[in-house]
Structure formats: C-alpha cells, structure tokens
Amino acid sequence: MEKIAIASDHAGREVKDDLAEFLKELGYDVIDMGVNGDSSVDYPDYGSPVAERVSDGRIHRAVLLCGTGIGMSILANKYKNVRAALVSDVYSARMAREHNDANILVIGGRIVGKGLARELVKEWLDAKFLGGRHQRSLDKIRVVEEKMNQKGGGYNDVTEKT
Ligand code: RB5
C-alpha cells in the first residue's frame, strides 16, 4: 500500500481530516501528522516533519494545508528534493504532476472546500509525470538546489547559466 503523509495547521484541519478519510478510501496508507484539535498552531511545526520525510525519501508523496496554502508551500520548498505545488484548480493540480512532478500538493483550507480539495488530490494522484522537456527543467532546478547547498545560498552565486 502506498504511503501518503498529510498535515495541516488549525486553518486547514477540517479539510485535512476529510482528505485523510478520502485517501484511505482510495486505498492509501495515510500518515496523518496532525494537527489534531482546534487550537491555533504554527504551520511550520506541522509542515516540517512532512517535508523532511519527503526530502529524505522516507515518504514519496504528501499533502499539506494551511489557511491559504501559501505558508506551507513557502516552507516545504525550502527542503531539498521537495517540489511543493499550491493549487486551487483542477488543471493546475494535473499540471503539478504532468509538468512539475510535484511530490507535495498544498491546498488552502480557507480557500478550497472539501469537495474541490478531493478533486484536486485525485487529479494530482492520477496524473503521470510526462518527462522529456519537463525533466530538463527539473534538472535545472536541481542544479540550482545543489549550488545553493554548496555555497550556503546567495542569489548571485546561482545566476550563471545552468
Ligand atoms: C493561520 O492563521 C494562517 O496564517 C496560516 O494558516 C496560513 O494561511 C499561512 O500561510
């Protein structure tokens, strides 16, 4: 059974709980990494454990939610090997996989209702990465990532042609 991790802050919790149920119905081994309960929490505390696991390969795919999805996507994309895509329409959810091979789908729980969130996740899971020129772009992103890691960051260090 394929593993999929899911986490949110308080603002994404209701949609997160519904998606966890949906993913179980689809036959996934769902690792719900919180939040549970209604109290206000900081989204990095819940997004980081998920992004870390995707980054080091323990989990291949995950869903993150916060109010807008913006904070979780900023956070998750700091992690090496993570390609997190914030989506709120079905076309982008499909492209996130076909063109970007996104390994984390990010959804805004205050933007997207439960029904659409289910559709977004299903579309992303069912789509296939198309490779080819899209792989070439991902390779170029990987070069930037490597350079950032080697040089400790610094925008000017990575602007030469990849
Ligand atoms: C929490 O109020 C909210 O700031 C958070 O869920 C998220 O939208 C941040 O990007």
Side-chain angles (χ1 to χ4, degrees):
M1 211 189 288
E2 193 186 337
K3 280 185 185 156
I4 189 159
I6 190 163
S8 73
D9 69 356
H10 55 287
R13 190 192 54 78
E14 262 193 60
V15 178
K16 185 264 291 174
D17 288 346
D18 185 69
L19 285 177
E21 273 314 305
F22 179 58
L23 287 164
K24 281 178 205 160
E25 284 165 23
L26 291 178
Y28 287 86
D29 177 8
V30 179
I31 304 164
D32 185 342
M33 301 189 68
V35 67
N36 301 307
D38 291 325
S39 39
S40 178
V41 294
D42 297 331
Y43 61 82
D45 295 339
Y46 291 86
S48 285
V50 169
E52 260 175 45
R53 282 163 174 76
V54 173
S55 180
D56 66 22
R58 273 178 287 169
I59 290 173
H60 297 298
R61 221 176 293 288
V63 179
L64 290 174
L65 302 99
C66 59
T68 57
I70 295 171
M72 281 295 199
S73 57
I74 291 171
L75 172 80
N77 280 311
K78 301 286 181 202
Y79 285 81
K80 193 175 177 199
N81 304 322
V82 165
R83 292 176 302 279
L86 170 59
V87 301
S88 55
D89 66 275
V90 170
Y91 176 75
S92 299
R94 189 168 79 247
M95 287 301 123
R97 189 75 180 282
E98 289 189 355
H99 288 194
N100 311 110
D101 200 20
N103 46 18
I104 299 186
L105 195 74
V106 189
I107 295 172
R110 288 175 176 161
I111 309 295
V112 167
K114 290 177 189 169
L116 177 55
R118 285 180 172 218
E119 277 193 55
L120 297 175
V121 167
K122 183 86 170 57
E123 195 76 14
W124 170 65
L125 289 170
D126 288 349
K128 297 275 171 287
F129 179 50
L130 297 178
R133 69 187 169 89
H134 307 297
Q135 183 59 57
R136 196 165 64 233
S137 294
L138 296 190
D139 291 344
K140 291 184 176 187
I141 293 174
R142 165 109 34 217
V143 170
V144 172
E145 197 173 57
E146 293 299 333
K147 285 185 179 173
M148 295 296 274
N149 284 342
Q150 279 164 20
K151 300 184 184 184
Y155 180 75
N156 290 332
D157 293 342
V158 297
T159 49
E160 70 258 27
K161 254 198 166 332
T162 54

